[in-house]
């Protein structure tokens, strides 16, 4: 295969890996603090992308034409709105189900996801059709042989990286992060340390949902298109990534996200005659990995679980 | 000074009451102990005070403020800390992170640093291992982490649930003398134990719990002689 084309595949894989990692981190954070799987996570991403798109339309109406201002506003509004939505979902839907079987939470959030998705489809103006997401970042390119490295892709990747690093720093270097880790390990003892459990849960859901919104906007800016079903697919992949990495472990989620993208890329490169099979290949490989490591790649050592 | 007043408290997990009208007072500045055999409801009473198993009926007051009905973090904010049954250290966090969590509500970094220093003074072994994961420590060392963590908030009242559980006689003795020293520094102690003799040796006042009811109470000396206590513990 041509080196330029290969480079294109790798660049695309890295971008996808970053989006998957951003989604997977949310799944793993929610599981960490509440032991739940929140299946509406992918659809929150969709709502985030549409919120970003609406922000862009609103700015255009207001006559704000500076693309840097536009992109900053799109990201900030989408992330802030989804942080709020995530916290509201946690407070009014997930927390009240505390103590219910995990399957119920899964089912109810699955239904909530459908409600969010269908609401976008039905209530967003012409929501059933894909929307052309604007190119807001500079598209200057450097030609490296036959591979065009575009500035907007680099910026998007760095943006995603910044979010991941920020989450890492928050979890490992701040008092709030310490509280999140304590709650994830032992809810009751964490409470007796004086930690406001409900607040920590809400903040965690806000963080995870904002990361999903960022992934949604990133996806829109990268492909220049969003649609009401985008989050369903990204959600399924993000969930698989979180599981294959080891649910509950942030680094596992990041690893799982990039691993899934790598598998897709390998699938696409190895099966050029049928690149539609790249997802089949990736999911099959995930199943094989799960059979080999049932608790994920970065598993909690069972001896550490009380 | 603030005293803890527990009045006619009922608490249950599912249906049957585990606590059936417990009334007792933890006097300020003293060590009050609660003795009782396995399953008598001692830990449940601690949980009720902390709001982990909120009382079904009855009131719990601390220095005039009503604790019953408050979420746990607000009970802690009233100046209460707990050294729980079975240590409950955060195994995947370092020793120092465990200690810092004890001072979670303390906003002043200087105060936290100062208390950390004091905890390391009491337990020099912990200072050497501050970066070690608590789960990789021995049972005795985990007990130190748990005690140190309980002191980090500089509480007015410390609830201690069976500190001697699973420790060697030497460590038990050490722990009891640490508890006595903690109390001498002005912290009120509510000590739950099954180890009758050593507990009564350091406590000022005591209660005996049996099947969710207080069946005896009195000064430590009186309890040590009391026939009901003897019966409850020695058949
Ligand atoms: N989480 C729980 N769910 C249901 N029942 C419980 C729970 N915890 C304790 N119990 C029951 O409540 C009763 C009192 O238990 P508790 O733990 O308060 O006893 P204890 O006096 O602390 O005993 P020990 O000395 O063994 O620690 C027991 O019959 C126990 O089975
Ligand atoms: Mg007990």
């Amino acid at each position: 295969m041509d080196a330029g084309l290969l480079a294109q595949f790798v660049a695309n894989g890295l971008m996808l890996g970053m989006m998957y990692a951003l989604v997977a981190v949310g799944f793993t954070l929610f599981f960490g603090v509440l032991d739940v799987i929140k299946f509406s996570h992918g659809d929150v991403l969709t709502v985030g992308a549409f919120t970003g798109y609406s922000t862009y339309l609103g700015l255009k109406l207001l006559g704000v034409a500076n693309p840097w201002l536009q992109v900053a506003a799109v990201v900030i509004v989408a992330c802030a709105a989804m942080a709020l939505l995530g916290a509201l979902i946690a407070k009014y839907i997930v927390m009240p189900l505390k103590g219910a079987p995990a399957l119920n939470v899964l089912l109810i959030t699955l239904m909530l996801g459908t409600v969010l998705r269908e609401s976008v489809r039905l209530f967003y103006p012409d929501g059933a059709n894909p929307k052309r997401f604007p190119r807001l970042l500079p598209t200057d390119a450097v030609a490296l042989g036959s591979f065009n490295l575009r500035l907007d892709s680099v910026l998007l990747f760095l943006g995603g990286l910044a979010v991941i690093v920020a989450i890492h720093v928050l979890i490992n270097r701040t008092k709030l992060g310490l509280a999140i880790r304590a709650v994830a390990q032992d809810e009751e003892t964490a409470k007796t340390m004086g930690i406001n459990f409900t607040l920590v849960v809400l903040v965690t859901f806000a963080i995870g949902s904002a990361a999903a919104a960022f992934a949604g906007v990133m996806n829109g800016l990268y492909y220049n298109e969003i649609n009401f079903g985008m989050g369903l697919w990204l959600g399924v992949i993000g969930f698989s990534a979180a599981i294959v990495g080891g649910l509950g472990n942030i680094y596992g989620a990041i690893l799982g996200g990039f691993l899934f993208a790598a598998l897709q890329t390998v699938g696409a490169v190895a099966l050029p005659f049928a690149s539609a099979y790249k997802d089949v290949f990736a999911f099959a490989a995930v199943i094989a990995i799960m059979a080999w490591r049932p608790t994920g790649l970065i598993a909690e050592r069972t001896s550490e679980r009380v | 000074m603030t005293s803890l007043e527990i009045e006619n408290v009922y608490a249950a997990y599912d249906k049957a009451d585990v606590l059936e009208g417990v009334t007792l007072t933890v006097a300020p500045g003293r060590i009050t102990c609660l003795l009782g055999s396995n399953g008598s409801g001692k830990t449940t009473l601690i949980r009720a005070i902390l709001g982990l198993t909120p009382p079904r009926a009855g009131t719990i007051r601390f220095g005039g403020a009503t604790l019953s009905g408050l979420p746990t973090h607000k009970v802690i904010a009233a100046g209460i800390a707990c050294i729980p049954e079975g240590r409950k250290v955060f195994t995947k966090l370092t020793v120092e992170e465990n200690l810092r969590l004890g001072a979670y509500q303390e906003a002043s970094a200087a105060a936290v640093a100062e208390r950390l220093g004091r905890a390391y003074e009491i337990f020099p072994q912990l200072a050497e291992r501050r970066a070690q994961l608590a789960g990789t420590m021995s049972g005795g060392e985990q007990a130190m982490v748990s005690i140190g963590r309980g002191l980090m908030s500089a509480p007015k009242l410390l609830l201690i649930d069976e500190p001697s559980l699973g420790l060697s006689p030497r460590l038990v003795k050490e722990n009891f003398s640490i508890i006595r020293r903690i109390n001498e520094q002005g912290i009120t102690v509510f000590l739950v134990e099954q180890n009758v003799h050593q507990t009564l040796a350091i406590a000022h006042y005591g209660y005996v719990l049996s099947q969710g009811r207080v069946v005896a109470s009195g000064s430590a000396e009186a309890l040590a002689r009391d026939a009901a206590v003897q019966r409850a513990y020695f058949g």
Side-chain angles (χ1 to χ4, degrees):
Chain A
M1 179 178 277
D2 167 53
L5 188 59
L6 195 65
Q8 193 67 58
F9 270 116
V10 171
N12 189 54
L14 283 173
M15 193 67 70
L16 284 174
M18 186 62 79
M19 290 176 210
Y20 301 160
L22 286 167
V23 179
V25 161
F27 276 109
T28 234
L29 280 175
F30 307 154
F31 184 78
V33 292
L34 269 189
D35 278 337
V36 297
I37 289 164
K38 174 176 164 279
F39 242 106
S40 52
H41 190 46
D43 299 294
V44 167
L45 179 153
T46 306
V47 177
F50 275 81
T51 306
Y53 180 63
S54 311
T55 306
Y56 163 75
L57 294 180
L59 287 175
K60 227 172 62 169
L61 275 182
L62 291 173
V64 179
N66 181 329
W68 293 109
L69 269 183
Q70 288 176 333
V71 90
V74 163
V75 168
I76 291 169
V77 173
C79 290
M82 288 316 99
L84 183 65
L85 178 63
L88 288 175
I89 291 174
K91 185 166 166 69
Y92 293 107
I93 296 175
V94 183
M95 293 277 277
L97 289 171
K98 212 166 168 309
L103 204 57
N104 295 18
V105 180
L106 200 144
L107 271 176
I108 286 168
T109 55
L110 196 68
M111 289 186 256
L112 172 70
T114 309
V115 168
L116 291 176
R117 191 162 60 247
E118 289 301 304
S119 302
V120 170
R121 189 165 78 91
L122 298 172
F123 301 125
Y124 197 87
D126 192 26
N129 287 317
K131 298 272 162 284
R132 222 196 116 270
F133 206 91
R135 279 211 166 91
L136 297 176
L137 293 170
T139 53
D140 312 50
V142 206
L144 303 168
S146 62
F147 167 57
N148 268 339
L149 183 62
R150 269 171 46 181
L151 184 56
D152 58 349
S153 302
V154 174
L155 290 176
L156 277 178
F157 187 81
L158 291 179
L161 194 63
V163 172
I164 298 260
V165 170
I167 291 177
H168 161 84
V169 169
L170 180 96
I171 299 286
N172 290 299
R173 297 267 180 280
T174 68
K175 198 169 170 183
L176 173 65
L178 183 58
I180 291 174
R181 286 183 288 147
V183 164
Q185 266 190 54
D186 182 343
E187 176 191 323
E188 281 196 338
T189 308
K191 285 178 177 169
T192 66
M193 299 294 108
I195 293 170
N196 183 340
F197 172 72
T198 309
L199 188 65
V200 166
V201 169
L202 297 191
V203 169
T204 306
F205 272 67
I207 294 168
S209 304
F214 191 91
V217 170
M218 203 175 149
N219 193 278
L221 287 171
Y222 187 60
Y223 289 115
N224 302 119
E225 187 192 292
I226 56 171
N227 65 69
F228 73 90
M230 65 191 284
L232 187 60
W233 190 232
L234 281 168
V236 169
I237 293 178
F239 176 59
S240 313
I243 298 266
V244 84
L247 203 52
N249 184 309
I250 301 236
Y251 307 105
I254 297 166
L255 175 71
F258 283 99
L259 178 70
F260 196 92
L263 288 170
Q264 281 181 319
T265 307
V266 169
V269 172
L271 310 163
F273 47 89
S275 66
Y277 286 111
K278 68 180 196 298
D279 295 328
V280 177
F281 173 77
F283 278 113
V286 164
I287 291 169
I289 293 171
M290 292 313 293
W292 167 53
R293 283 267 178 116
T295 50
L297 292 172
I298 306 185
E300 286 180 282
R301 269 177 285 155
T302 39
S303 60
E304 286 175 354
R305 291 206 102 153
V306 182
Chain B
M1 287 273 251
T2 31
S3 65
L4 178 75
E5 281 146 28
I6 295 168
E7 214 178 290
N8 208 18
V9 160
Y10 287 76
Y13 291 98
D14 303 310
K15 284 200 181 78
D17 281 334
V18 172
L19 299 181
E20 302 183 7
V22 173
T23 300
L24 59 82
T25 300
V26 177
R30 329 210 82 196
I31 299 179
T32 302
C33 70
L34 181 67
L35 302 167
S37 53
N38 291 115
S40 56
K42 306 181 296 297
T43 299
T44 306
L45 183 62
I46 299 269
R47 293 176 58 88
I49 297 168
L50 290 169
L52 292 172
T53 303
R56 193 173 63 66
T59 52
I60 299 174
R61 276 191 299 270
F62 184 55
T66 303
L67 297 184
S68 31
L70 291 182
T72 305
H73 67 275
K74 294 208 169 138
V75 173
I76 303 302
I80 296 178
C82 175
I83 299 170
E85 185 174 33
R87 337 263 181 254
K88 299 285 170 63
V89 299
F90 295 98
T91 53
K92 284 183 282 180
L93 301 184
T94 64
V95 168
E96 182 144 329
E97 285 172 331
N98 267 278
L99 294 176
R100 284 183 181 280
L101 276 167
Y104 186 76
Q105 291 186 345
E106 178 56 64
S108 150
V112 174
E114 194 237 300
R115 286 178 211 160
L116 259 181
R118 238 185 303 156
Y120 288 141
E121 242 166 65
I122 306 175
F123 302 111
Q125 288 113 300
L126 297 187
E128 296 157 24
R129 300 174 164 230
R130 60 180 77 194
Q132 189 176 331
L133 292 186
T136 63
M137 314 268 285
S138 75
E141 289 164 339
Q142 290 191 17
M144 296 174 198
V145 174
S146 188
I147 295 171
R149 190 179 64 179
L151 293 172
M152 283 295 292
S153 62
K156 291 185 212 145
L157 167 65
L158 192 54
L159 311 172
I160 311 178
D161 194 349
E162 295 210 44
S164 62
L165 198 71
L167 294 185
S168 72
R170 189 180 60 83
L171 280 180
V172 171
K173 223 173 137 197
E174 259 179 51
N175 270 355
F176 274 93
S177 75
I178 287 169
I179 292 168
R180 195 207 294 256
R181 266 189 288 147
I182 289 170
N183 173 250
E184 281 164 2
Q185 284 160 17
I187 297 175
T188 307
V189 172
F190 185 44
L191 175 62
V192 163
E193 257 299 347
Q194 293 205 51
N195 192 329
V196 184
H197 295 297
Q198 294 189 65
T199 304
L200 289 177
I202 65 163
H204 300 102
Y205 201 84
Y207 293 88
V208 178
L209 196 66
S210 174
Q211 294 178 17
R213 293 167 204 271
V214 173
V215 293
S217 64
S219 70
E221 302 80 42
L223 275 183
R225 290 188 305 264
D226 191 324
V229 181
Q230 304 295 328
R231 251 201 324 280
Y233 282 92
F234 307 109

